[in-house]
Amino acid sequence: MIRVPAPSGVKVKRYLSSSVTQEYIFQVNDCGFKLTFIPYDTVLRINSPRTPGISLNIDNDFNPVWMSGSQVLALAPVSAGGQLVSEIQDMYPYLCPANAMLHRAFTRSVLQNHPGASMRCGAVSSSLSSCNQTELDTLYDLSSYIFGDYTQFTRCISGSDPASDNVLHLFQLHANFFCDQMCVKAQIQAIVGTCPAPPEYTNVLNLLTC
């Protein structure tokens, strides 16, 4: 049995032929692609009327970009503000690919349509809008630990919030300090609390002079 969740805008179809051969179609109209899966027929085997396998149809009207191994996948449609990481780095040459992806995610107005979606994404975007190039470089350089490989820390500050609201808020407060020199030390300490914070957190905390 194949079970596939279908978020808003995604159509999942299941077709049955006269035999036991089944065809599964996953179609995302807003992205212009359709993925078709035909499983191997264990009853008819070589006599199956359909060839098993996976096929991908891409609509050229969406102006797809064929990417090389150095370019990021899962690109949003141009209509939704999609940009290549290389394009972000052309605008912000000091951002590494990982931070360029973070910046693109925070500055694209892509609606979250999952349960418990956080409004913090919009708040982060507003905070970033006042950053100049130097401030932006500093922000990502000193704040990337928030999204790094510190699972225990992330789980601790997130609690049971499915939208990780505290993670987004923590990054927003970093932006408020590095870009607008706002006094945010008490707010940051309140979020982290007694969680086992990584060394990078201590380094940032030492900069918060207010």
Side-chain angles (χ1 to χ4, degrees):
M1 177 181 293
I2 296 180
R3 294 182 179 179
V4 178
S8 176
V10 177
K11 293 182 179 180
V12 179
K13 302 177 182 179
R14 178 173 179 260
Y15 294 105
L16 294 177
S17 66
S18 56
S19 68
V20 296
T21 302
Q22 299 177 0
E23 178 179 315
Y24 299 86
I25 296 180
F26 312 103
Q27 184 170 337
V28 185
N29 291 329
D30 289 346
C31 294
F33 81 86
K34 180 174 72 173
L35 182 70
T36 303
F37 170 65
I38 300 175
Y40 177 70
D41 193 324
T42 58
V43 176
L44 296 178
R45 303 180 68 176
I46 196 172
N47 295 315
S48 172
R50 306 296 301 278
T51 301
I54 294 177
S55 66
L56 175 63
N57 290 16
I58 299 177
D59 188 347
N60 284 325
D61 288 342
F62 283 75
N63 299 314
V65 177
W66 300 102
M67 295 177 237
S68 67
S70 63
Q71 293 175 318
V72 68
L73 299 177
L75 187 68
V78 175
S79 60
Q83 283 181 295
L84 295 175
V85 165
S86 58
E87 294 173 339
I88 299 292
Q89 289 181 296
D90 287 341
M91 299 168 60
Y92 306 100
Y94 295 104
L95 294 184
C96 67
N99 290 340
M101 289 181 67
L102 274 176
H103 187 70
R104 184 181 67 181
F106 284 132
T107 53
R108 300 298 100 189
S109 300
V110 179
L111 178 67
Q112 296 184 84
N113 61 359
H114 63 85
S118 175
M119 295 300 292
R120 285 285 179 196
C121 281
V124 170
S125 179
S126 298
S127 297
L128 291 175
S129 63
S130 61
C131 295
N132 62 38
Q133 177 67 62
T134 302
E135 292 166 343
L136 202 62
D137 296 339
T138 303
L139 168 65
Y140 282 110
D141 183 51
L142 298 179
S143 306
S144 57
Y145 75 90
I146 299 173
F147 308 99
D149 190 22
Y150 295 105
T151 307
Q152 185 178 7
F153 173 67
T154 303
R155 288 177 178 171
C156 184
I157 65 174
S158 294
S160 59
D161 185 355
S164 299
D165 198 64
N166 280 338
V167 175
L168 295 173
H169 193 193
L170 186 59
F171 182 71
Q172 179 196 355
L173 290 173
H174 279 56
N176 292 151
F177 173 75
F178 289 115
C179 301
D180 288 324
Q181 290 73 53
M182 293 175 61
C183 184
V184 296
K185 186 171 185 176
Q187 294 169 276
I188 288 178
Q189 288 178 306
I191 290 177
V192 176
T194 59
C195 291
E200 291 90 338
Y201 166 73
T202 303
N203 294 338
V204 171
L205 204 63
N206 290 335
L207 297 174
L208 307 179
T209 55
C210 61

